[in-house]
Amino acid sequence: MKSKADVVIIGGGVNGCSLAYRLAKKGLDVVVVEKRYLSAGATGACGAGIRQQWSTRENAQLAIQSVKIFERLSKQLGQDIEFRQGGYLIAVHDEKEMKQAEKNVAMQRSLGLTVNILEPEEITGVVPILDIKGMRAIGATFCPTDGHANPFKTTFAYADAARKLGAEINTHTTVINVKTAKKTIRAVVTDQGTIQTDVVVNAAGIDSKTIAEMVKVKLPLTPFRKEILATERLQPLFEAMVISFKDGIYFSQQKEGQIVGGIPIPEEKGGYKTMPTFAFLSHMAQTLTRYAPVLKHVNVLRHWTGFYDVTPDARPILGEVKEVKGFIQCSGFSGHGFMISPMVSFLLTELIAEQKTSEVLESLSLDRFKGKNIEKELSVVG
Ligand SMILES: Cc1cc2nc3c(=O)[nH]c(=O)nc-3n(C[C@H](O)[C@H](O)[C@H](O)COP(=O)(O)OP(=O)(O)OC[C@H]3O[C@@H](n4cnc5c(N)ncnc54)[C@H](O)[C@@H]3O)c2cc1C
């Protein structure tokens, strides 16, 4: 392992690897430190949906610009990340939700996004297996350029491209301390040795709170336990991701034919338990077959847990932390960190390599929680 680097990134998930690639492309000497294997955190557990339909302007902007990057990413990285654009269909269940949906759609359209409000009878034109009565929908919104990619292939493609550009990626290496002097980053201490550096990126997912404590920074992060399942492979039935903010359900059909989806468990209160539960299976099966009765004889093959790193406003914490020079935040993704990773790494690369900041980065700084008027992202599942 190197003993010196321009930048040390803690965490080998999609955000850490994507940033390593972009920084290495700018000619910086980058080291990634991952305590387990690449994509061992939330990245490897995720649904990997890519949605541009958000309620806050920043999230919509980040997602829209990220989709533009996803569209050419396989070619850029030289590996197929299985990016597909089947759209996202968001169910709307009552008048209150419809009012919010209309507001969201107006804002999203002002950013140039093609997104439509569907009448109930138009829903099955997009996803034929849905039962409108069962899903209790009075309409839906649909954006045809939303999509999905393979989270493992994306992370490994970034990592391979970063290595080719000279980045060093250390797996099975744990960060145990981050050293500062005069409120400035000096070194990262791992169980395999120490790396001298002026810049540390905290991309450690739910563990980023512990990493921040090493430099006496408090992050308002809460881990939320999530469960998700995959069924056996089926013939192609639909292309869009179906979600409902009210029911919390999301599901899509993968390239190989499995249905992958999740739903929050009503009595779940968060925490670090990793054991999957029967309560989830039962609640998911009941809701999924209410939405799509045709799936009632389908077998579930796999079921696993993962964690959201949730902030009070469901938006990430990005950029340099004012109290510690060189400590860069890249976490708090609150369940949507895969889809915005291309733009997150783009903006953080501008910040680290060119000292360039942006309105979006400023609005997502840790400092925002000192203010009173925090705008909460409303378009979240779970
Ligand atoms: C069930 C589920 C479904 C989801 N669905 C979606 C979706 O459809 N779309 C979407 O955009 N997002 C989704 N997400 C959220 C998404 O997975 C995350 O926001 C994203 O993957 C975060 O990536 P990351 O690189 O920031 O963090 P992670 O992937 O969590 O990576 C952090 C890494 O840091 C490492 N680490 C921690 N501590 C240390 C240490 N001390 N030393 C070294 N390494 C350390 C961990 O091992 C881990 O690999 C979902 C998440 C879950 C759990």
Side-chain angles (χ1 to χ4, degrees), residues 10-16 33-37 40-43 45-49 88 173-175 203-205 207 211 226 228 250 306-308 333 335-339:
I10 307 173
V14 70
N15 282 295
V33 183
E34 163 55 52
K35 70 175 174 180
R36 295 170 70 202
Y37 51 89
T43 300
C46 88
Y88 252 69
T173 306
T174 304
V175 171
D207 294 315
I211 300 290
K226 297 288 160 193
I228 175 166
Y250 65 93
F307 296 89
Y308 285 6
F333 289 102
H336 44 271
F338 179 75
M339 62 185 84

Side-chain angles (χ1 to χ4, degrees), residues 16-29:
C17 291
S18 159
L19 185 58
Y21 163 68
R22 282 191 202 289
L23 289 172
K25 214 170 156 192
K26 288 274 179 195
L28 270 73
D29 189 13

Side-chain angles (χ1 to χ4, degrees), residues 133-360:
K133 250 195 180 156
M135 67 193 281
R136 299 168 197 149
I138 63 160
T141 64
F142 181 64
C143 171
T145 55
D146 285 346
H148 182 270
N150 182 315
F152 299 99
K153 291 193 176 177
T154 306
T155 307
F156 279 82
Y158 273 130
D160 287 347
R163 277 194 198 99
K164 278 188 194 142
L165 292 164
E168 181 185 274
I169 298 182
N170 301 288
T171 54
H172 303 286
T173 306
T174 304
V175 171
I176 49 180
N177 202 2
V178 178
K179 285 192 174 165
T180 58
K182 295 186 185 152
K183 299 194 172 175
T184 302
I185 291 293
R186 289 287 180 246
V188 172
V189 184
T190 80
D191 59 355
Q192 309 289 326
T194 297
I195 313 159
Q196 309 295 327
T197 187
D198 295 336
V199 182
V200 167
V201 179
N202 185 12
I206 50 161
D207 294 315
S208 60
K209 196 171 173 167
T210 312
I211 300 290
E213 280 163 7
M214 293 173 185
V215 295
K216 300 191 174 51
V217 167
K218 247 182 133 176
L219 295 183
L221 278 192
T222 313
F224 266 81
R225 205 175 81 84
K226 297 288 160 193
E227 298 189 37
I228 175 166
L229 60 73
T231 69
E232 62 189 317
R233 293 179 182 195
L234 308 169
Q235 63 181 37
L237 294 170
F238 61 105
E239 290 189 352
M241 172 84 83
V242 178
I243 69 171
S244 158
F245 302 135
K246 193 170 188 180
D247 291 324
I249 192 168
Y250 65 93
F251 59 96
S252 66
Q253 186 170 27
Q254 309 296 293
K255 192 177 165 214
E256 296 85 8
Q258 318 92 314
I259 310 284
V260 170
I263 196 166
I265 309 157
E267 64 273 20
E268 186 68 49
K269 293 281 181 283
Y272 286 101
K273 279 183 298 173
T274 52
M275 182 69 86
T277 63
F278 184 74
F280 163 80
L281 269 187
S282 161
H283 185 47
M284 179 68 188
Q286 282 174 33
T287 315
L288 182 62
T289 53
R290 176 158 69 71
Y291 273 62
V294 71
L295 298 178
K296 72 179 171 204
H297 297 299
V298 172
N299 293 303
V300 172
L301 287 194
R302 257 180 0 106
H303 165 204
W304 63 96
T305 56
F307 296 89
Y308 285 6
D309 47 343
V310 179
T311 63
D313 60 3
R315 298 191 296 158
I317 306 171
L318 302 177
E320 189 171 42
V321 171
K322 298 263 166 9
E323 290 75 19
V324 186
K325 192 165 184 305
F327 189 70
I328 313 285
Q329 251 305 121
C330 180
S331 67
F333 289 102
S334 308
H336 44 271
F338 179 75
M339 62 185 84
I340 58 174
S341 56
M343 263 322 274
V344 165
S345 61
F346 177 86
L347 293 173
L348 291 182
T349 297
E350 281 194 338
L351 179 73
I352 296 166
E354 295 157 24
Q355 290 74 51
K356 218 165 122 184
T357 189
S358 64
E359 217 179 292
V360 176

